[in-house]
Amino acid sequence: MLIPPKIFRKRPNDKTASASLIITVFFVVLIPVVFLLYQNNCRTESKNYRDNILSSVNNAKNFKEFSDNLFRYEVTNNSVTTAFTLKNPEEYGIPDLSPVLNDISARQYSKDAKGKISEKIIDRIQKKLSAFPKENLTGKDQLIYELIDKHLTLSKEMSKYSYYETMLGKSSGAFAKLPVTLCEYPLDDEDDVKTYLTLVSQVPDYFKNVIEYENDKAKHNMPTPVFLLKESRSELENLIKNLKTDDNCFVTTFNERIKNIEDISVKNKKKYISNNRYYVNRYIIPAYEEIYDYIYTSIRNSGSSNSKISQSQSKNKENLPDLDTSYGLSSYKNGKKYYELLVRDATGSDKTVNDLITMTETTLNNTLSEVLRIATTDTDAYLYYCDHPLESGFHSPDGILTALSMMMRNDYPPLDKTPSYTVRKVPDSLSDMLSPAFYLIPRIDNYDNNIIYINPQYTSEANGNIFTTLAHEGFPGHLYQTVYFNNTDPAPIRQILDYPGYVEGWATYVELNSFSFIDHPQYAESLPALYRSDSIISLALSSRIDIGVNYEGWTLNDTCKYFEDLGFNSYYAGDIYSYVVEAPANYLSYFIGYLEIMQLKTDYKNFKMENYSEIEFHRALLDIGPADFATIRKYLLR
């Protein structure tokens, strides 16, 4: 929906519900594709290529041809998708295509919403899929068949709901995602540099489509809430100010990347560096200023006032909603139904939302009881926990990752070889918008090149979260799980089927397990259990609020009361409320995904009985790979 694909896996900010970088993709576009056409030498024109590939999908003679062509169709949505997925597209039968930053126009989106074109496209693809008898396929292909079929069905249902997401959120909106997307755009040769500069020149058109989409959203009585616009305005002010400096992120990262390209002469490198600086001033800065002016005007025309909320109810009392107004998805027509679909997509769980409420509240209450038990039976450990952040004994990110890769050996299956990785710091200019940490998903044909970003504003030794954050992002979290899955030689189509519940649930599961890696001899098992419980409680609270706001119509007042009824200070209520309105169901990817994996573990133990092995459970789960949990359970327990 007017945004590039997912290329990041990140860790949520459990305390402030801060910026979230994950870029969502719905498999099989929910709206038809309309391209910004740019000819570049003898490159194949993108629209013609994808029209032909879609025809090839519908004319495939066998299942492999069908799934491979479907992969080519999806991965060529735009140049960002292609570049972040494949290092060598030609090896997958994809020609050099004309550069396309954004493949969807807001006008065509509106046309699709009226004509249900997406549903018709998906119907044709699903009809073709059904032409291949599943029972005639191999076990591996049967799994792929089931996943594609489920994805198509869910995508078709979600395509019926237009204008339910905002493109102007401070952490999930277009302007927030673009910097890291472009600053990490792979530059391997001179053609990549030329493509990149063309994409930069398309940023103004991209943002114009965002504005047009938001105007249409308002016409459908679903405008982005003003309090979210105010938060975005504050972030944009800081970002634009930084963009006007000589060391802004678009300039410094480009200069660094181009240094490593061997086939460009020194003279041409200087030319491209100069061109990029010109393009930033000519295209990017004016585009951001236009977005800022649009938001500023929207706020001014709204005539709204600030929420009357005390400092004790939120750390940020300037950009908050009215206390007694519901702003979640349930406040929109058919919003609850859309949220149900969104939750299914985000979590991979087939349980009802009411079932998820029960799961969440049960886990929260059990964990609170565990904390109370430790507080009354091991008071010294509890007092130490209250006064000290988590101390791992490791200091540098590289040292922590090395230690984690060794500590995990008894419980997780080994990789063929230790993958290479680089740990980087988030630029200061982006720290307010970005999450505490994120893992940059490598290209599927170059998956030994892994990058983890740390945001020092939220993640540090002083905050006591760097060890567990790196367990989430690195070993045995996203980096390990991604490399392991790639080592199984999966079909290309499986690499673009997105299952946030599985991947974020896994990363949360291993992160919570990593507390046991930290030795606290003075307090034995009590201290790790308390820190682990703290994380579970935080995720459970945030997830319950997400459901309350977006499914049950909670107001900010309701959210504050929920905190207080549980005995918690409502200091962060406003911030979590704002976040779940902007990014509904995101927290559930982590928490419900984690709970589903824990249930799978229990079921697997009961299935194997005395033959149960921790490492074999992990191996079985990793071998199946990303999928919805009903499908995983079917293949895990047979």
Side-chain angles (χ1 to χ4, degrees):
M1 291 186 178
L2 297 168
I3 55 177
K6 60 95 179 168
I7 52 177
F8 305 105
R9 293 293 180 201
K10 58 74 174 94
R11 184 178 188 274
N13 189 328
D14 298 336
K15 293 187 177 179
T16 64
S18 177
S20 156
L21 187 62
I22 201 92
I23 298 182
T24 308
V25 61
F26 294 112
F27 173 71
V28 181
V29 285
L30 305 184
I31 46 183
V33 288
V34 176
F35 295 87
L36 306 170
L37 306 181
Y38 290 84
Q39 299 294 339
N40 193 328
N41 299 330
C42 58
R43 289 179 168 181
T44 303
E45 200 275 304
S46 296
K47 184 180 184 304
N48 291 342
Y49 172 77
R50 295 192 76 243
D51 285 346
N52 290 335
I53 285 295
L54 185 57
S55 296
S56 298
V57 170
N58 292 316
N59 295 321
K61 296 181 176 61
N62 54 62
F63 180 73
K64 185 178 186 307
E65 184 181 336
F66 168 84
S67 64
D68 286 349
N69 282 330
L70 193 55
F71 168 78
R72 295 185 186 98
Y73 179 71
E74 286 299 315
V75 84
T76 54
N77 255 340
N78 51 59
S79 299
V80 172
T81 308
T82 308
F84 276 99
T85 307
L86 297 171
K87 180 178 175 65
N88 300 300
E90 66 279 1
E91 294 183 7
Y92 290 78
I94 298 171
D96 194 14
L97 300 175
S98 55
V100 176
L101 174 63
N102 174 244
D103 54 322
I104 308 296
S105 76
R107 185 170 300 176
Q108 191 64 33
Y109 183 91
S110 176
K111 181 180 178 181
D112 177 70
K114 296 175 182 177
K116 300 181 179 180
I117 301 172
S118 295
E119 293 181 53
K120 297 173 184 176
I121 293 174
I122 295 173
D123 276 337
R124 289 199 297 271
I125 296 174
Q126 202 159 20
K127 182 178 179 181
K128 182 62 182 180
L129 174 65
S130 66
F132 305 110
K134 188 174 71 171
E135 60 272 15
N136 294 343
L137 302 176
T138 65
K140 202 170 184 178
D141 282 346
Q142 285 186 8
L143 172 59
I144 296 171
Y145 183 107
E146 292 179 33
L147 296 179
I148 292 176
D149 192 32
K150 286 187 174 183
H151 249 299
L152 290 168
T153 300
L154 181 57
S155 294
K156 184 168 67 174
E157 285 300 308
M158 295 190 74
S159 70
K160 299 174 182 178
Y161 298 87
S162 305
Y163 301 107
Y164 283 84
E165 72 172 300
T166 178
M167 296 297 295
L168 297 178
K170 73 168 186 177
S171 58
S172 62
F175 77 84
K177 294 172 179 175
L178 188 67
V180 177
T181 300
L182 289 181
C183 291
E184 285 294 339
Y185 187 90
L187 300 180
D188 296 320
D189 54 35
E190 191 164 12
D191 282 342
D192 290 339
V193 173
K194 293 177 181 178
T195 296
Y196 172 83
L197 291 174
T198 303
L199 297 179
V200 170
S201 72
Q202 297 175 20
V203 171
D205 287 333
Y206 173 43
F207 280 8
K208 281 182 172 63
N209 270 305
V210 170
I211 290 172
E212 189 174 344
Y213 168 87
E214 288 289 331
N215 283 333
D216 289 343
K217 179 178 167 67
K219 291 176 183 177
H220 284 79
N221 296 317
M222 292 191 290
T224 297
V226 174
F227 69 91
L228 292 184
L229 295 179
K230 289 180 178 180
E231 291 180 346
S232 295
R233 180 183 62 185
S234 299
E235 296 294 342
L236 274 168
E237 286 177 350
N238 295 330
L239 181 57
I240 292 171
K241 181 179 179 180
N242 181 268
L243 288 177
K244 293 183 178 180
T245 64
D246 291 335
D247 60 347
N248 71 72
C249 60
F250 291 105
V251 170
T252 57
T253 57
F254 180 86
N255 294 352
E256 189 64 30
R257 282 176 293 164
I258 201 171
K259 288 179 184 177
N260 300 320
I261 304 177
E262 296 179 356
D263 68 342
I264 304 180
S265 67
V266 174
K267 179 180 178 181
N268 282 339
K269 284 182 181 179
K270 290 181 179 179
K271 179 189 71 175
Y272 288 127
I273 287 173
S274 176
N275 287 346
N276 178 61
R277 188 180 297 275
Y278 171 77
Y279 273 41
V280 170
N281 290 325
R282 175 67 177 82
Y283 299 110
I284 291 181
I285 293 177
Y288 271 95
E289 289 177 330
E290 184 173 4
I291 283 280
Y292 177 86
D293 289 343
Y294 174 79
I295 290 175
Y296 182 87
T297 301
S298 298
I299 294 171
R300 186 183 61 190
N301 291 341
S302 71
S304 65
S305 58
N306 287 332
S307 173
K308 295 180 180 179
I309 188 169
S310 70
Q311 185 66 39
S312 64
Q313 292 174 302
S314 175
K315 70 184 182 68
N316 174 14
K317 60 180 182 179
E318 294 182 0
N319 303 320
L320 288 172
D322 293 331
L323 279 169
D324 296 311
T325 301
S326 174
Y327 294 91
L329 287 173
S330 62
S331 65
Y332 297 142
K333 182 181 179 181
N334 298 320
K336 288 183 66 172
K337 178 60 178 175
Y338 173 72
Y339 184 70
E340 289 173 348
L341 296 172
L342 187 64
V343 167
R344 195 190 312 167
D345 182 65
T347 65
S349 175
D350 61 355
K351 295 179 175 63
T352 67
V353 175
N354 286 328
D355 287 339
L356 299 184
I357 290 174
T358 299
M359 288 173 64
T360 300
E361 291 183 341
T362 299
T363 303
L364 177 59
N365 291 331
N366 289 343
T367 308
L368 288 170
S369 295
E370 173 66 3
V371 172
L372 179 60
R373 183 192 67 79
I374 296 175
T376 55
T377 60
D378 194 348
T379 306
D380 288 344
Y382 181 76
L383 293 175
Y384 185 92
Y385 150 78
C386 291
D387 293 336
H388 295 82
L390 181 69
E391 299 166 346
S392 68
F394 300 94
H395 306 291
S396 71
D398 286 331
I400 291 172
L401 287 167
T402 299
L404 283 166
S405 67
M406 293 187 290
M407 291 173 173
M408 62 179 278
R409 290 177 179 175
N410 291 334
D411 295 325
Y412 301 90
L415 299 172
D416 294 337
K417 65 175 183 177
T418 302
S420 64
Y421 56 83
T422 303
V423 180
R424 299 177 182 170
K425 289 185 178 181
V426 168
D428 292 341
S429 59
L430 301 178
S431 61
D432 287 341
M433 294 189 299
L434 301 188
S435 61
F438 58 90
Y439 167 64
L440 180 63
I441 299 174
R443 292 176 284 186
I444 65 178
D445 53 349
N446 186 36
Y447 61 86
D448 194 46
N449 182 24
N450 297 274
I451 298 172
I452 294 173
Y453 269 92
I454 298 294
N455 189 341
Q457 181 168 321
Y458 302 110
T459 303
S460 65
E461 187 177 4
N463 290 340
N465 59 0
I466 190 166
F467 184 89
T468 52
T469 293
L470 288 172
H472 183 109
E473 304 297 344
F475 301 107
H478 289 315
L479 191 160
Y480 167 78
Q481 181 267 315
T482 299
V483 173
Y484 186 101
F485 183 61
N486 277 299
N487 281 340
T488 66
D489 192 27
I493 192 66
R494 287 209 62 187
Q495 300 278 18
I496 58 172
L497 294 172
D498 191 28
Y499 294 96
Y502 176 96
V503 293
E504 297 299 355
W506 170 267
T508 302
Y509 165 78
V510 300
E511 175 188 348
L512 293 172
N513 285 349
S514 72
F515 286 100
S516 65
F517 293 158
I518 302 174
D519 186 22
H520 291 283
Q522 185 179 358
Y523 301 112
E525 297 180 358
S526 294
L527 203 55
L530 285 167
Y531 288 120
R532 182 175 183 273
S533 296
D534 185 89
S535 295
I536 293 173
I537 291 168
S538 181
L539 280 171
L541 282 170
S542 300
S543 297
R544 183 62 185 92
I545 292 168
D546 192 310
I547 297 173
V549 170
N550 289 294
Y551 192 71
E552 298 171 291
W554 286 10
T555 64
L556 179 53
N557 233 349
D558 296 327
T559 305
C560 292
K561 185 176 184 300
Y562 177 70
F563 269 94
E564 292 159 2
D565 287 347
L566 287 170
F568 293 113
N569 191 311
S570 59
Y571 181 67
Y572 291 107
D575 308 286
I576 294 178
Y577 189 93
S578 295
Y579 183 76
V580 300
V581 170
E582 179 188 343
N586 190 49
Y587 271 115
L588 274 62
S589 299
Y590 300 81
F591 188 63
I592 300 302
Y594 159 71
L595 293 182
E596 286 281 6
I597 289 176
M598 291 298 292
Q599 184 60 56
L600 283 175
K601 188 173 185 175
T602 298
D603 295 344
Y604 188 78
K605 282 182 178 180
N606 294 334
F607 179 66
K608 290 293 185 178
M609 300 180 71
E610 69 274 6
N611 295 320
Y612 173 79
S613 162
E614 188 88 347
I615 194 170
E616 290 307 316
F617 166 68
H618 294 152
R619 190 192 309 277
L621 186 59
L622 291 164
D623 282 343
I624 294 171
D628 65 278
F629 288 108
T631 301
I632 292 172
R633 180 170 282 101
K634 172 183 174 181
Y635 283 85
L636 185 71
L637 304 178
R638 65 178 185 176

